[in-house]
Structure formats: C-alpha cells, structure tokens
C-alpha cells in the first residue's frame, strides 16, 4: 500500500478527570457512575518513588519535604499535613516478584513512601493532584476515595438462638444453612480435626460483635500484646490491640455498630457443635476483627488500606472483603498487592447485576469491573442461590463475569473467579441474634472460610494452585470437596495476539492488502504444568480462503509452568491478497493445544484489511484527493490556516472510529450530481466524529457531498 507521509503535529484537547468512589451492596439499581462523586475533601494520597527521601518539615504553616519541586507544589496549594500512611513499613531493598492466580506476574510494591496530604485550599485539590502527577518524583497521586457498604437487606426477622437439639453438628440452626452443603464443606469436616485453627480470617468490615455467643471463642488473640497495660508491647503502633483494631475510632475495641461485619464473621467461622445458633464454614479458624467502616457503612481508602496492611502484618492468612468500588485506587491496590505475598485475598463481585466488561452487558448497560474483586490476584466472588430462575443459578442481583473466570479481555486480566451461595444466608448479628441476609457480601466470607480449610489441609501448596483447583472444579457453586481431591491437569487459554508487518509491509502495525503478516500468540496455562504446547491458525468455517494464504499453520510454544504465559517464538505467517477491498473482515481460528491435540482452546480472530492511501496528522501544504484511490483517515486529520485541501468529484474518505477532520484552513469538497463526494466510516460497528471548523477564517465549501454516520 502507498502511504502518504504528512508532517505530524498533535492537535488534542486533554480532559483531566479524577475518579471518586462510593460502592454499594444490597442496593438495587446502583449506578457505577456514582463511584466518581465521593472523596474526602482536601485529602490527597501520593506515592513517591521508592528511592526518593522525604523529609517531614514545616515552614510557615506549610509542610516541606526537602525536594525543591515538591515543596513548591506544597507551598502553592498550602499543604497543611504530610503523614506517612504506613509508618511501620520500611523500604524493601530487593525486588520481589509475585504471580497471581490468573498467571499475571507483578512486583510486590513498597509502601514506605505513601503519604496522606491535607490541602489547605480544598477547592484546588484536583489542581494539586495534577501538578503532583506531573512531577518525576511521584508514582501516583489521587483523592482519598470514599467507599460505602450498604447493609444487605434482611429477608427475615431477628432469629434468637433456640435451645440445642441433637443435630449433627448440634448447632440448632444448622438445618437452615443450605449454603454449607451446597459447597460440600461439610464433606471435608471429618478430615479437618482442628487443623484449620492455624488459619486467621480477617473480616475487614464494620467491626465484629466479638462478644456474640457463637463468635466469642473464635476471635484472634494477639499473643505479642499484654492486655490492659496501656503499652504497645509489640511495637506495631497500636496499644493493647489484643483482638484486632478499630481504625475508625483508633482504639482496640473493633465492635460492630452496623451488623454487616458480624454477619460475615459468622458465615466464615462461627463456632460449631456448641449447641448455639449456627456453624461457620471453617469451624476452627479464628476471626481477626478489623473495623474500617463506620456505622453508616462508609470508609475511606486510606483507612481501608491501613487495615489491609495491619491484617497482613499480624498473621491473617485469609482476608475477607465484602466491599468494592468501580473506581480503581492505586493506594488500595498497592496495599493489597503487598498483602498478597502472605495472605489469600477474597472480595465481593458487587450487587448491581452488572457484567465485568469490557463492552456492553446482556441488558445493554456498559460493563465495569468492581475493585478489589476484579484484580487477578484477588478471588472475586459472584453470588448464587438455591433454585434456578430467569437468571439461572446466579442471583439476579449479583454482578457477573460474562466471559468466565479465566479468560479476560482486559489487558491486566481482570476477572471474577468464583461463584458461591449469597442469597438467603443465615448468620450472626450483634446482640447474640441471627438474621438472613443476601448479597455478594455474604458469598465472600463463605469463600474465605472454604479457603481457610483448603490452606489448613494443603499448607505447602501455592496460592496459584489453590486458585486453579477452586476455579476448575466449580459447578453451580464453589465445590470445596472436589477442589481438595482433584488432580491438576493443564488448562490452556489464548489470551491475546500480536501482529507484525515488517516482512514486506509498511510497518504501521495494521494489516494491509498485499502484506505478509506474522502472528505471535500469547498462551496462558491456568492449571497443571505441561510441555509441547503449540499454536495454530486456520480459516474459520465457511470463510473465503482466496482472501489470504496461510504460510505457517503451526508453531511451537514449548513448556508452560502452572500459571505462566508464553508466546510462540516462531511466528504464524499469513499473506493477504493484494486486491482485497478496504475494510474487508476475515475470520480466522487461533488454536492452542499440548501433546496430541489435548486441552485445545480456540478463539476467533477477526482481521480487518486496509487498502487505500492513509491520511493522518497535519497537512503541511496544498493537497488534492482523486476518485481513483481510496483514502483512509487512520487518525485525526487537520488542515491548518493557509492550506487548501481539494477533493475531486467521486472521491470517498473513510474515517476510523472516533476520528475527525479539523479545519482551520480551506476545504473544497465540490462534487457533481453524477459524481458525489462521500465522507463515511470505515467499520460497520463504529462512528467517526465529523468535522470541526476551528476559526472564523476557516472555510468548508461543499456541493454534492454526502456525510454518512
């Protein structure tokens, strides 16, 4: 293809937006867009680069860091305080790489250089954030987002614990706990024999009624702290934190004044066989109460992140998080990624009936991931129910992963991995009573309890293998018994592909008619180790095979360890016919397998071929377009002052999705009755933005010109 070279100049409008968050559980019809409306006024969270030395000074009422450019920003916006968010964290001297349950490798982040700032001029908070983000000493700056837990609606009245009866276990309300046999947790209880007492489940929530009869013997004890002596014996900055910590009131009494946290605690680990109430999924695990949400159900990212780090540093083996937000906080992500090194992270998928995305859901709403449940290193949990209805086994209120727990169209592999009972869940509430709640908030501690049992029975197994066994044995619900007894086999998935057009092409990274294209395919193994992995390419069924010639049909990928990804070293090659029409879509099948075509996974690949003269950027001199060629606008096209673009009758201009023509000079688009000029879109599924006339001196002369959208 002939490529027309233009002088490139950036014409753009930068729109800066700052996300703010509020998450909702048990609240029907919650709009994810609300998550961009709440933050703590005047508070900014900033992470400086690891090597930056930050001093804590104050001058004229404004804090200083000892870094000239940062101090200028602090003075400009009147920064009144600059507090380390994690004062007990030291800089890591070596890089530690982690691999998530979905096979994504990432670096364990340092937390020592994250600070919470208080901006004196609250109205200029976002300006301060923008200036901080531009500074080379800063990794990120963001508002202190507000998250909210709205109590799941009770679907029954308060249930008082009746006298003990001879049931097995002897907890009198156990017969109403349909969710425990649904995940087959009861089938492995005989093999536990107290081994799960090694597990500590942190309930990061509204606190826990640690005096509830079904919970009082299950509360974690900080053995490094001497109770009641008024001294921080273990040196973690918390005095007498013998049973967790209340980060809302900054004291050692994480009592629940909402009920949400107590309900979650009972699901995970209420005492079994005590002749009272219910049994938890993990009868021997201990509960670490961490209060980071107020009685109203609101809490901020800084507080939640401190709670996450406290739990990880004080021995929590499982972290249960029945909250979320549709806005990503890099502060909270850093705290979670740091905790992942020692703790299994479990989080709710959300209650808006929304798909994770990307793209539209079945009800035509735009999909959106809920954090932290969507992260690849967090077990995201959807809610299920006992009976099938128009939503299937999934509870209609539950968010869901439309393409399953392994494949993800997001570049960072966002997923919800598990499904667990979340409708009609009986558990504890403050005051020694019990209620039935519904929500992914309830499904989350159920998974946390199952993870505690799994870790107790498989202490030497990696977190990645735990992910794989739970995901690959799941039926309608999580199946704990099957996960503990399965023999892992390789499970291959095509994640993405890359194209290269350097053999005989124009090296623009797009497929042009007449080019030979090389394809490198990324394969992910989400379960057992395998070798002899291959990839292949073929025309999709009924596709016209004259459109291209497949030169290399198969290629070796090699050995892929559990939860790893790999590309084929030798590319697949396809030559595309030179006479193809512009915009011609060709459908191929990409397939991966191991050994003798075992474990095959096939994904369709749709290639859109270009055939024409590509236009983009700023035209530097007068230019004429003729009808004997096709013109493809691959990026924004600008006609500056003093330059004339002449379009001859019969010419067609095809605009890429979202592209436009910006006119500051002159455009002569004068067709004839029998020879129209057409401005149209390239692809059926997308639209171009149209024309923008920038100045009063600009002129666009049009006759017999058609604009198609």
């Amino acid at each position: 293809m002939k490529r027309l070279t233009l002088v490139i100049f950036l014409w753009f409008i930068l729109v800066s937006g700052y996300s703010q968050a509020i998450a909702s559980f048990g609240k029907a019809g919650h709009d994810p867009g609300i998550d961009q409306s709440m933050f703590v006024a005047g508070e900014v969270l900033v992470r400086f680069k690891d090597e930056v030395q930050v001093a804590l000074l104050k001058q004229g009422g404004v804090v200083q860091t000892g870094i000239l450019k940062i101090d200028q920003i602090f003075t400009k916006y009147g920064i009144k305080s600059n507090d380390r968010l994690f004062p007990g964290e030291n800089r890591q001297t070596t890089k530690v790489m982690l691999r998530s349950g979905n096979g994504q490798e990432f670096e364990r982040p340092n937390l020592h250089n994250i600070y919470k700032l208080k901006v004196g001029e609250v109205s200029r908070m976002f300006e301060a954030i923008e200036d901080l983000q531009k500074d080379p000493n800063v990794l990120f700056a963001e508002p202190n987002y507000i998250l909210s837990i709205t109590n799941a609606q009770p679907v029954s009245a308060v249930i008082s614990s009746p006298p003990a009866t001879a049931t097995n276990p002897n907890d009198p309300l156990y017969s109403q706990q349909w969710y425990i046999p649904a995940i087959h947790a009861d089938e492995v209880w005989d093999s536990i024999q107290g081994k799960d007492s090694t597990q500590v489940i942190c309930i990061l929530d509204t606190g826990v009624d640690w005096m509830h009869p079904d919970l009082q013997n299950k509360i974690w004890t900080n053995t490094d702290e001497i109770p009641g002596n008024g001294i921080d014996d273990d040196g973690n900055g918390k005095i007498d934190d013998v049973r967790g910590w209340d980060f809302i009131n900054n004291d050692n009494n994480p009592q629940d004044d909402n009920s949400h946290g107590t309900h979650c605690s009972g699901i995970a680990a209420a005492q079994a066989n005590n002749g009272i109430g219910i049994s938890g999924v993990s009868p021997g695990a201990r509960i670490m109460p961490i209060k980071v949400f107020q009685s109203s159900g609101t809490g901020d990212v800084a507080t939640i992140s401190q709670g996450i780090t406290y739990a990880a540093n004080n021995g929590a083996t499982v972290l249960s998080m029945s909250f979320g937000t549709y806005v990503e906080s890099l502060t909270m992500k850093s705290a979670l990624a740091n905790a992942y090194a020692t703790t299994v992270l479990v989080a709710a998928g959300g209650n808006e009936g929304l798909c994770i995305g990307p793209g539209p859901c079945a009800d035509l709403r735009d999909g959106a991931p809920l954090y932290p449940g969507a992260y690849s290193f967090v077990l995201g949990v959807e809610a299920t129910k006992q009976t099938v209805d128009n939503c299937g086994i999934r509870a209609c209120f539950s968010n869901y992963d439309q393409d399953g727990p392994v494949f993800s169209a997001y570049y960072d592999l966002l997923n919800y991995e598990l499904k667990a009972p979340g409708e009609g869940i009986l558990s504890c509430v403050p005051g020694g009573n019990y209620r039935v709640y519904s929500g992914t908030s309830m499904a989350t501690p159920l998974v946390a309890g199952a993870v505690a049992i799994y870790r107790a029975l498989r202490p030497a197994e990696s977190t990645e293998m735990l992910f794989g066994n739970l995901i690959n044995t799941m039926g309608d619900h999580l199946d704990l018994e099957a996960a503990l007894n399965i023999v892992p086999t390789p499970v291959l998935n095509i994640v993405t592909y890359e194209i290269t057009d350097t053999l005989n092409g124009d090296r623009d990274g797009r497929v042009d008619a007449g080019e030979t294209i090389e394809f490198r395919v990324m394969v992910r193994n989400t379960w057992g180790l395998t070798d002899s992995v291959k990839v292949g390419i073929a025309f999709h069924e009924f596709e016209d095979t004259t459109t291209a010639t497949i030169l290399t049909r198969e290629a070796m990928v090699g050995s892929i360890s559990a939860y790893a990804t790999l590309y084929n070293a030798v590319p697949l090659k396809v030559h595309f016919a030179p006479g193809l029409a512009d915009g011609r879509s060709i459908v191929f099948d990409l397939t991966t397998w191991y050994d003798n075509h075992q474990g095959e996974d096939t994904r369709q690949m749709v290639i859109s071929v270009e055939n024409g003269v590509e236009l983009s950027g700023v035209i530097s001199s007068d230019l004429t377009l003729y009808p004997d060629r096709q013109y493809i606008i691959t990026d924004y096209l600008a006609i500056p002052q003093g330059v004339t673009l002449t379009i001859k009758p019969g010419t067609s201009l095809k605009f890429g999705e979202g592209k436009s023509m910006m006119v500051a000079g002159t455009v002569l688009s004068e067709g004839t009755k029998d020879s129209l000029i057409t401005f149209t879109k390239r692809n059926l599924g997308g639209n171009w933005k149209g024309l923008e006339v920038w100045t009063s001196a600009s002129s666009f002369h049009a006759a017999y010109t058609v604009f198609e959208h």
Side-chain angles (χ1 to χ4, degrees), residues 39 101 131 146 166 211 380 394 400 457 464 467 489 541 571 655:
F39 50 85
D131 281 354
I146 293 175
M211 295 182 289
R394 174 177 64 87
Y400 61 97
L457 296 177
E464 293 77 37
F467 270 57
T489 58
E541 186 179 18
F655 287 76

Side-chain angles (χ1 to χ4, degrees), residues 197-462:
S197 64
T198 61
Q199 301 299 305
V200 179
I201 303 173
C202 171
I203 303 296
L204 195 74
D205 215 290
T206 58
V208 176
D209 180 6
W210 48 270
M211 295 182 289
H212 192 290
D214 239 353
L215 300 175
Q216 60 185 356
N217 296 326
K218 303 302 303 298
I219 303 301
W220 167 78
T221 299
N222 183 0
T223 57
D224 293 329
E225 195 76 19
I226 300 173
N229 68 353
I231 299 173
D232 179 16
D233 299 288
D234 57 6
N236 67 357
K238 307 290 184 288
I239 296 174
D240 291 341
D241 56 324
V242 293
R243 63 179 67 85
W245 194 254
D246 180 347
F247 283 86
I248 297 299
N249 299 298
N250 198 32
D251 61 36
N252 67 344
N253 182 19
Q255 183 58 247
D256 186 6
D257 47 14
N258 177 288
S259 84
H260 192 271
T262 301
H263 199 272
C264 292
S265 298
I267 296 168
Q271 187 171 352
N273 285 311
N274 62 346
I276 300 172
I278 65 170
S279 171
V281 173
S282 180
R286 290 168 292 161
I287 298 164
M288 180 188 289
I290 302 296
K291 181 176 175 64
V292 291
F293 288 91
Q294 301 187 45
S295 60
S296 62
T298 59
D300 60 73
V301 158
T303 303
I304 294 168
S305 300
Q306 288 173 329
I308 291 167
T309 303
Y310 176 95
N313 289 347
N314 285 275
T317 56
V318 186
L319 185 52
S320 181
M321 299 174 284
S322 292
F323 58 86
T325 170
Y326 292 101
V327 172
E328 183 177 23
S329 163
L330 296 180
T331 302
M332 188 166 66
K333 182 179 182 181
S334 298
L336 287 165
N338 191 276
Y340 176 78
T342 58
T343 307
V344 179
L345 308 173
V346 186
N351 294 349
E352 285 72 57
L354 189 70
C355 70
I356 195 171
C361 306
D363 59 6
L364 301 183
R365 289 186 294 167
D366 289 334
L370 189 93
Y371 302 101
Y375 287 129
S376 66
F377 53 90
V378 177
L379 284 170
V381 185
E382 303 173 18
T384 57
K385 56 186 181 299
Q386 281 183 283
T387 57
V388 174
D389 59 16
N390 59 305
C391 296
I393 199 68
R394 174 177 64 87
C396 290
F397 60 75
S398 178
N399 287 0
Y400 61 97
D401 193 327
Q402 77 284 350
D403 50 21
V406 174
F407 178 78
S408 176
Y410 286 104
Y411 75 95
D412 46 359
L413 307 182
L414 302 178
N415 274 118
Y416 305 138
E417 287 80 11
L418 297 179
K419 302 174 185 176
E423 185 173 271
I425 305 299
L426 174 67
S427 186
C428 309
V429 292
N433 294 315
Y434 302 83
R435 277 188 182 155
V436 175
Y437 286 171
S438 294
T440 54
S441 286
M442 287 61 255
T444 298
L446 188 150
V447 171
V451 167
I453 291 178
Y454 190 105
R455 290 197 61 162
L457 296 177
R458 299 277 186 88
E461 201 162 85
S462 69

Side-chain angles (χ1 to χ4, degrees), residues 454-572:
Y454 190 105
R455 290 197 61 162
L457 296 177
R458 299 277 186 88
E461 201 162 85
S462 69
T463 301
E464 293 77 37
M465 188 60 75
L466 178 150
F467 270 57
N469 284 355
L470 292 177
I471 291 169
N472 288 291
T473 56
M474 184 171 56
D476 289 340
H477 320 281
L478 164 73
D479 189 334
L480 180 58
E481 190 272 338
L484 286 164
N485 290 285
I486 195 68
V487 176
T489 58
V491 175
L492 303 180
N493 300 99
I494 292 175
V495 179
T496 187
Y497 62 87
E498 297 177 353
I499 68 171
T500 305
D501 58 342
T502 58
L503 292 179
N504 63 339
D506 56 7
R507 305 190 179 196
D508 64 353
R510 295 187 293 270
V511 178
D512 299 327
E515 287 186 336
T516 298
I517 302 297
E518 296 180 316
F519 295 90
R520 295 178 70 242
V521 183
M522 177 187 282
V523 179
R524 183 171 70 231
N525 177 17
T526 58
W527 212 6
L529 170 70
T530 185
D531 55 15
S532 303
V533 177
K534 293 183 178 181
V535 292
I537 187 170
F539 287 102
H540 189 60
E541 186 179 18
F542 307 125
E543 182 57 86
D544 182 359
T545 59
T546 66
T547 56
T549 302
I550 299 176
L551 304 176
T552 305
R553 294 182 176 274
E554 294 184 6
M556 179 67 71
V557 177
S559 298
I560 308 181
S561 60
Y563 311 101
T565 57
L566 197 63
Y567 281 98
N568 51 304
V570 176
L572 304 170

Side-chain angles (χ1 to χ4, degrees), residues 39 83 108 145 149 266 358 367 474 540 604 613 661 663 673:
F39 50 85
D83 301 322
R108 183 179 183 181
Y145 302 128
I149 296 176
M474 184 171 56
H540 189 60
Q604 286 188 19
V613 177
M661 178 186 289
V663 182
K673 182 177 181 181

